[in-house]
Amino acid sequence: MPVPHDVVTRLAAAIEAAPAGLAAMRLVCVDGPAGSGKTTLAAALAPLLGAQIIHMDDLYEGWSGLEQGTERLLEWVLAPLAAGTPGRYRRYDWGLGRYVERHTVPLADFLVVEGVGAASLLTEPFVPFVVWVEAPEDVRLARGIARDGAALEGELRRWMVAEAEHHRANGTRERADVVLDGEGNVVLGPEPA
């Protein structure tokens, strides 16, 4: 997903104006279904905010770890930051099937968390700025296959079912401050200045 520069700068300005809710930090959650363009958007947004990015893919324990990944985000990262101490997590290596190196999440002005489940209801106490990114299912599946390989199409399809249920249960799109389509266009959110 190419993200238009003006959209990213407007988004960064809206986030900078939002209240801090994670101690003195502003938590930015970029959520939406797999293959919609969340990682690309987070990569464009984080440098403008001077923010670290946490990828939910690093917290899931493989294809069946969506809900546990959201719990790990809370336990390992958000709760410590809210208490005024650095967060710490171990990255899950999908190829090895286990957690590997540790990462520290320092106290800062902004933190960007991207991935399915980034804006679960568990994040609500930390007043996140929620960005929802969406794209048609066929586009998302094609992107997933291009990224992960055709051999994983079955896993991708099962994941798509699980993520849809997660997003319904958490009302993620409905709670979003900004909604972007898969091309980076604003569907709902800050208007151009």
Side-chain angles (χ1 to χ4, degrees):
M1 168 184 95
V3 185
H5 183 70
D6 68 313
V7 170
V8 178
T9 56
R10 286 192 345 250
L11 190 52
I15 292 165
E16 289 170 340
L22 182 60
M25 299 175 74
R26 286 173 182 82
L27 174 62
V28 181
C29 298
V30 181
D31 207 327
S36 59
K38 299 176 300 300
T39 305
T40 302
L41 175 62
L45 185 59
L48 294 179
L49 299 172
Q52 179 174 351
I53 300 174
I54 295 178
H55 303 282
M56 289 300 295
D57 285 353
D58 292 344
L59 301 177
Y60 312 136
E61 194 168 330
W63 290 103
S64 61
L66 173 55
E67 297 306 324
Q68 294 80 8
T70 62
E71 293 166 3
R72 287 183 185 105
L73 175 65
L74 174 63
E75 178 185 344
W76 293 352
V77 179
L78 301 181
L81 290 171
T85 62
R88 291 179 179 81
Y89 68 94
R90 291 184 70 188
R91 182 185 64 82
Y92 188 79
D93 185 305
W94 290 58
L96 295 176
R98 62 183 172 88
Y99 285 95
V100 289
E101 78 274 353
R102 296 180 190 277
H103 295 267
T104 299
V105 183
L107 297 170
D109 292 333
F110 301 94
L111 174 64
V112 175
V113 180
E114 74 80 24
V116 176
S120 78
L121 286 170
L122 295 176
T123 67
E124 278 301 287
F126 310 107
V127 193
F129 188 98
V130 177
V131 182
W132 172 267
V133 186
E134 61 190 14
E137 185 175 320
D138 60 329
V139 171
R140 295 185 298 104
L141 182 59
R143 288 176 179 173
I145 290 170
R147 178 190 63 221
D148 300 330
L152 293 177
E153 181 176 349
E155 293 287 3
L156 287 166
R157 288 183 181 278
R158 283 186 286 281
W159 180 265
M160 291 170 89
V161 171
E163 71 185 3
E165 175 54 34
H166 172 84
H167 287 135
R168 268 192 302 278
N170 285 269
T172 314
R173 187 184 195 279
E174 295 76 19
R175 293 179 16 254
D177 296 287
V178 176
V179 175
L180 300 178
D181 70 12
E183 299 301 318
N185 299 303
V186 176
V187 175
L188 170 71
E191 295 300 319

